[in-house]
Amino acid sequence: MPPSLPIRRVVLYKHGVGYFERRGKVNGSETLHFDFKARDMNDVLKSMTVLDLSGGSVSAVSYDSTKPLEQLLQEATIRIPDSGSLTALLGQIKGARVRARVGREQQVEGVIVGLESLAVAQGEVAVHRPFLTLLVGASLRSFDLLDVAELVFLDDTVRKDLEFYLATVLSSYKKDTKRLSVLTAGEGERELFVSYVLEAPVWKTSYRILLDEEQKPLLQGWAVVDNTGDEDWEDVDLALIAGLPVSFVHDLYNPRYMKRPVVEVRTEAAAAPVIPEEAFETAAEEEVLADEGAPMEMMKAMPAMAAPAPAPMRTFGAVVGGARRREAMERSADVKTLTKEVGDLFEYRVDHPVTVHRNQSALVPILHRPFEGRRVLLYNRSTREKNPMACIELKNTTGLTLEGGPVTVTEADTYVGEAMLDTMKPDDKRFVPYAVELGCVVSVEDKMEEGPVFKAVVNRGTLVVEFYHFRRTHYLVRNKGKRAQTLYLEHPRTGWQLQDTQEPDETTDGFWRFKRELAAGASEDFAVTEYSGGQRSYYLSNTGADEVGFFLSSGFIDERVAQGIREVIAIRERVARLNEDEQRLTQERAHLFKDQERIRANIESLKSGASQRELAERFVTKLNEQEDRLEFIARELERVAREKREAQDEVNRKVQALSFTANLGTPPADKGKGKGRA
């Protein structure tokens, strides 16, 4: 049985990989075998490091082909059926040299000639039994196969073919498994080190918090690890890494082929016999050059992985929670975890051997420390409109990086709620809500109003007035409980600025956080006032006389601008009259066109005769008069269109020439009342 290296160290990461170390003894030039899932081969080939720590060497690392099992068995020279395996095998290796032990002592060495079935009398019945025929020296000898106790193959080729076939068949029992073999070279017993990275389940964390009014709260952390591999982790050195190193999958296992250019030999067509003419001078010969290609070499390198030694962690005495529960927690969860910073990562290293059997999981204690924190209330209208959440104002004074995970909270030996904890670096501060505080009720009232205009600007025919929207939010908080409460009220930040409101105690990306101290049974009305700039635009070319009066009385414009707008209004009135003339002339022209169609139809219907000739002349005279009128209308329409264009150009010139700026008041941002900024 070839030696194997047990797993001695496991390092699990938060991004779905695990680092594994194996250590063990080898003797001489032994070969080590490792079985991996096919999907893990790319990670193994990318990360495996093999070191002989005792002066030997690693001659090669081989692994199973990507060919299907059926194709591998077809390439084998030996076939062994499911039944009659021995007789079938011996029948395929005729000519192989073997050494047979017949009975207990007889040793026979010869060449296999074949198998035959011979009848052997057993009482009154003849039974057919297989006999092995060997060429021993110059004679043929047959032996009852049932009397052959041992058969040794002396031909290396036959033995290797049989081992290959059996190893291939063995691998078929684990269809998704590939074998990797490490060939060592050296003398005597040596220590071998193998490390690699594989896909592994993400390790998870869960926490327990004990609250007590008289002492600091206590934080206990557990890591959940999963062994989904096909091998037990027995007494391994377990480390858990918090962070997100770069990791990827690269296909090294499947053969990779490059498309090469096809180069063909240049050929000439067959030549017909030629009768040379008599030459007066010699002819030069042509030379043909052949191109040569240079082979390319590919090299592969696998980086070695090294981990620095961990530094010891400081431990703290437990000072939190109900006495009996706290003492029980300290006795039951004896946490001996070493921690250290690894660049931007953080490592928890369990300071005792850990055993996790295959396809099982384990809870491993990694943290048991007091921290700075207290019970507070946190109100967020979008989370729950009527009540705040009971929270732990947690400051990470454990000195460790806390990975995100669920938290179970107990107070006075009683379960009071659960929460989710985000990843926290040392000295980070977070609110951890774990329950709804029904003893505190909040009602909210919103009011919107518009402030006075503080600036007016006339430019390029547009009057823009600037003012501020004011939004006042009243929070009526009632503490119905019998103990004082500290409330943090979260008000959303929407790009507005605070006005006449106290400075927020904390500011987040999305909220202002105001701290309020609530006495037992007390109520408080807390108001948050915000303002935001607003604008309204008026196009002066469309302004009426009433609006001019309003602008002038409000101070948006002065008398000069007002007079300019009145002139524009007068021009617009003249344009309106021109539009009326244009419409009237257009309608008259349409009526004349329609009447002319009627007259021409009547002329076409008249027959010869004196009376009809007279009527036709009247129609022609009428048409002439109408044509004269149409010519006049056309001239009038041209005049009206020209005067309209001139009037519009004059309106544009006058409007564009208007310019005015009025500062009508001080913006709230300049009054110095609001300190908060969005």
Side-chain angles (χ1 to χ4, degrees):
M1 184 69 181
S4 179
L5 299 185
I7 296 175
R8 294 303 185 196
R9 184 171 182 234
V10 177
V11 182
L12 299 179
Y13 293 81
K14 278 290 188 176
H15 64 300
V17 301
Y19 170 75
F20 298 86
E21 285 185 5
R22 295 175 179 265
R23 287 176 181 262
K25 301 293 184 179
V26 294
N27 197 346
S29 299
E30 290 181 324
T31 299
L32 300 174
H33 299 298
F34 304 100
D35 293 328
F36 297 102
K37 293 182 174 62
R39 66 173 183 268
D40 292 331
M41 287 300 294
N42 286 317
D43 286 325
V44 172
L45 296 177
K46 181 179 64 175
S47 60
M48 174 169 275
T49 302
V50 184
L51 301 175
D52 192 319
L53 303 179
S54 303
S57 64
V58 178
S59 58
V61 177
S62 63
Y63 51 91
D64 287 346
S65 169
T66 59
K67 293 181 180 179
L69 174 65
E70 294 77 9
Q71 186 175 351
L72 290 173
L73 292 177
Q74 289 176 1
E75 295 176 358
T77 58
I78 294 176
R79 302 285 189 276
I80 302 178
D82 293 336
S83 61
S85 57
L86 179 58
T87 56
L89 172 63
L90 295 177
Q92 296 180 58
I93 56 175
K94 294 177 182 179
R97 179 169 290 278
V98 296
R99 182 172 61 248
R101 181 166 60 86
V102 182
R104 294 185 177 181
E105 297 181 357
Q106 184 180 5
Q107 296 282 343
V108 180
E109 185 174 326
V111 178
I112 296 177
V113 176
L115 286 173
E116 58 182 340
S117 180
L118 299 178
V120 178
Q122 290 186 354
E124 299 179 356
V125 181
V127 179
H128 285 80
R129 298 176 66 172
F131 279 78
L132 174 65
T133 301
L134 298 178
L135 177 62
V136 182
S139 63
L140 294 175
R141 298 180 61 181
S142 294
F143 302 94
D144 190 340
L145 192 58
L146 299 180
D147 293 335
V148 177
E150 182 181 10
L151 195 65
V152 179
F153 294 96
L154 301 179
D155 289 346
D156 290 340
T157 302
V158 175
R159 187 177 66 253
K160 290 180 179 178
D161 286 347
L162 181 59
E163 290 176 351
F164 171 76
Y165 180 87
L166 294 176
T168 303
V169 172
L170 179 62
S171 66
S172 67
Y173 295 116
K174 293 184 178 181
K175 296 183 179 180
D176 192 38
T177 299
K178 299 296 180 182
R179 170 154 289 189
L180 186 145
S181 302
V182 177
L183 285 67
T184 65
E187 297 180 357
E189 190 177 65
R190 306 181 314 282
E191 185 177 8
L192 199 69
F193 169 91
V194 176
S195 68
Y196 49 83
V197 172
L198 291 182
E199 182 182 39
V202 174
W203 68 279
K204 304 171 285 291
T205 51
S206 64
Y207 299 94
R208 323 292 185 254
I209 292 181
L210 267 67
L211 296 178
D212 192 278
E213 294 183 356
E214 299 179 357
Q215 303 181 67
K216 287 185 177 181
L218 181 68
L219 179 64
Q220 184 184 88
W222 295 77
V224 181
V225 297
D226 306 289
N227 179 9
T228 59
D230 296 330
E231 186 175 352
D232 294 339
W233 300 346
E234 294 185 359
D235 295 334
V236 300
D237 179 8
L238 179 63
L240 309 171
I241 301 294
L244 195 62
V246 174
S247 183
F248 55 87
V249 176
H250 183 74
D251 190 358
L252 291 174
Y253 180 54
N254 293 298
R256 186 181 305 164
Y257 300 94
M258 296 294 292
K259 187 175 181 181
R260 298 177 295 165
V262 177
V263 180
E264 297 180 354
V265 177
R266 187 171 61 185
T267 59
E268 300 286 348
V274 177
I275 301 176
E277 295 182 355
E278 185 180 358
F280 296 97
E281 57 185 15
T282 59
E285 297 181 353
E286 296 181 354
E287 297 181 354
V288 179
L289 300 178
D291 295 333
E292 296 182 354
M296 299 180 63
E297 297 182 354
M298 301 181 64
M299 301 179 64
K300 298 181 180 179
M302 292 190 295
M305 298 181 62
M313 179 194 73
R314 294 176 58 203
T315 58
F316 295 84
V319 293
V320 179
R324 287 178 296 177
R325 175 166 297 218
R326 172 188 174 81
E327 292 173 0
M329 287 186 66
E330 291 179 340
R331 288 194 305 268
S332 302
D334 186 14
V335 179
K336 295 180 180 179
T337 305
L338 304 179
T339 61
K340 66 177 180 180
E341 298 284 345
V342 186
D344 291 334
L345 311 179
F346 192 83
E347 179 184 80
Y348 293 88
R349 184 175 179 182
V350 181
D351 191 26
H352 57 81
V354 175
T355 296
V356 184
H357 296 291
R358 57 184 293 186
N359 294 321
Q360 290 190 356
S361 303
L363 272 173
V364 180
I366 58 174
L367 172 66
H368 190 90
R369 295 189 181 183
F371 65 93
E372 289 186 13
R374 59 172 180 163
R375 184 185 185 277
V376 297
L377 303 182
L378 180 67
Y379 176 77
N380 188 303
R381 186 179 184 182
S382 59
T383 301
R384 187 176 176 89
E385 187 174 5
K386 296 297 184 183
N387 306 99
M389 300 294 294
C391 300
I392 300 171
E393 187 181 12
L394 189 155
K395 184 177 181 181
N396 184 12
T397 55
T398 64
L400 309 179
T401 296
L402 303 180
E403 273 294 303
V407 181
T408 300
V409 183
T410 59
E411 184 176 7
D413 295 342
T414 304
Y415 163 85
V416 293
E418 298 174 358
M420 283 298 295
L421 184 68
D422 287 335
T423 300
M424 295 181 65
K425 292 290 185 180
D427 297 325
D428 281 356
K429 181 181 175 182
R430 301 285 171 79
F431 286 93
V432 184
Y434 61 87
V436 177
E437 180 55 75
L438 299 177
C440 185
V441 180
V442 182
S443 59
V444 185
E445 181 182 0
D446 293 317
K447 293 182 179 180
M448 292 285 295
E449 62 183 45
E450 200 172 276
V453 174
F454 63 87
K455 187 176 183 179
V457 178
V458 176
N459 187 33
R460 295 186 177 274
T462 303
L463 168 62
V464 178
V465 295
E466 299 181 15
F467 57 94
Y468 277 93
H469 296 288
F470 287 92
R471 178 173 60 201
R472 292 181 174 85
T473 305
H474 289 268
Y475 295 93
L476 179 58
V477 184
R478 289 172 290 173
N479 179 18
K480 300 188 294 182
K482 296 181 179 180
R483 64 177 177 180
Q485 304 270 22
T486 298
L487 171 70
Y488 284 91
L489 189 150
E490 288 188 338
H491 184 82
R493 298 175 60 198
T494 57
W496 292 42
Q497 296 182 351
L498 293 177
Q499 169 76 3
D500 297 332
T501 304
Q502 74 171 50
E503 277 284 341
D505 295 88
E506 296 180 1
T507 302
T508 69
D509 290 339
F511 297 94
W512 283 307
R513 203 171 273 159
F514 301 95
K515 180 180 178 182
R516 313 303 299 167
E517 297 293 344
L518 305 176
S523 298
E524 180 181 355
D525 186 357
F526 179 73
V528 178
T529 303
E530 304 166 272
Y531 67 91
S532 177
Q535 287 185 347
R536 278 195 298 270
S537 299
Y538 303 90
Y539 295 101
L540 300 181
S541 57
N542 299 329
T543 303
D546 294 340
E547 291 176 301
V548 173
F550 170 72
F551 295 159
L552 188 60
S553 62
S554 300
F556 298 168
I557 59 176
D558 59 2
E559 184 58 39
R560 177 183 59 82
V561 175
Q563 182 59 34
I565 299 176
R566 294 189 188 101
E567 293 175 359
V568 169
I569 294 174
I571 297 173
R572 290 209 325 264
E573 292 175 351
R574 179 157 56 89
V575 171
R577 292 192 296 271
L578 290 173
N579 286 332
E580 293 176 357
D581 293 342
E582 183 180 39
Q583 183 178 5
R584 177 178 53 79
L585 292 172
T586 301
Q587 291 176 351
E588 183 181 358
R589 182 175 61 180
H591 177 73
L592 290 175
F593 283 154
K594 186 174 181 180
D595 194 47
Q596 282 186 336
E597 291 177 0
R598 179 184 61 81
I599 293 174
R600 290 189 179 94
N602 290 336
I603 294 175
E604 291 292 335
S605 64
L606 293 177
K607 300 180 180 179
S608 59
S611 59
Q612 292 185 352
R613 190 181 308 113
E614 181 180 354
L615 184 58
E617 291 176 355
R618 288 178 56 192
F619 284 153
V620 171
T621 302
K622 182 68 171 176
L623 285 174
N624 289 334
E625 293 175 354
Q626 289 180 343
E627 286 296 326
D628 293 339
R629 182 61 182 173
L630 287 173
E631 291 178 0
F632 174 78
I633 291 175
R635 290 193 298 271
E636 284 296 299
L637 287 175
E638 291 179 359
R639 177 187 63 80
V640 170
R642 182 177 64 256
E643 291 183 2
K644 284 176 59 179
R645 289 194 300 272
E646 293 173 353
Q648 189 60 49
D649 291 342
E650 186 176 1
V651 167
N652 292 337
R653 286 195 304 272
K654 288 184 174 295
V655 167
Q656 294 295 326
L658 297 177
S659 177
F660 179 72
T661 300
N663 293 314
L664 306 176
T666 303
D670 298 333
K671 293 181 179 180
K673 295 182 180 180
K675 302 290 186 180
R677 291 293 180 267

